[in-house]
């Protein structure tokens, strides 16, 4: 099982205690990793950098949306590939 958050959400809903503002998953780690690595690569403040991440939390299922980073940044193909790999595998 790659994504336990939807399972937890359904269990909480069945119990009548579901609050979407209090449930977060392991993708939060991937988002923190993405913003830190992008900020480091571009000289941004990691606290003020956002990089959306979609997918699961297992290597190749992690998809950082580098084109949607804020502040906006451009990446060479090599830079994009290296950042994507680093975000996916925690390097």
């Amino acid at each position: 099982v790659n994504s336990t958050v939807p399972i937890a959400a359904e269990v909480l809903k069945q119990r009548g205690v579901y609050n979407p503002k209090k449930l977060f998953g392991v993708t939060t780690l991937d988002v923190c990793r993405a913003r830190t690595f992008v900020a480091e690569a571009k000289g941004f403040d990691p606290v003020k950098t956002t990089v959306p991440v979609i997918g699961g939390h297992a290597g190749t299922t992690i998809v950082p949306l580098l084109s949607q980073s804020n502040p906006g940044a451009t990446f060479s193909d090599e830079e994009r590939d290296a950042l994507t790999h680093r975000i996916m595998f925690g390097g």
Side-chain angles (χ1 to χ4, degrees), residues 5-22:
V5 174
I7 295 168
E10 290 305 314
V11 169
L12 293 170
K13 286 176 188 177
Q14 288 174 358
R15 302 279 193 278
V17 295
Y18 175 69
N19 181 342
K21 293 182 179 181
K22 292 187 176 185

Side-chain angles (χ1 to χ4, degrees), residues 59 62-64 66 79-90:
I62 299 168
V63 182
L66 298 175
E79 194 175 28
R80 180 204 60 223
D81 292 347
L83 271 171
T84 299
H85 185 273
R86 189 173 181 203
I87 293 164
M88 287 177 157
F89 299 101

Side-chain angles (χ1 to χ4, degrees), residues 29-53 62-76 78-88 91:
L29 171 64
D30 302 325
V31 169
C32 290
R33 187 185 296 151
R35 76 179 187 192
T36 299
F37 294 161
V38 167
E40 180 182 275
K42 295 298 179 180
F44 299 153
D45 179 349
V47 174
K48 296 179 181 175
T49 303
T50 59
V51 181
V53 177
I62 299 168
V63 182
L65 303 179
L66 298 175
S67 65
Q68 301 300 310
S69 65
N70 187 11
T74 57
F75 304 93
S76 68
E78 296 80 17
E79 194 175 28
R80 180 204 60 223
D81 292 347
L83 271 171
T84 299
H85 185 273
R86 189 173 181 203
I87 293 164
M88 287 177 157

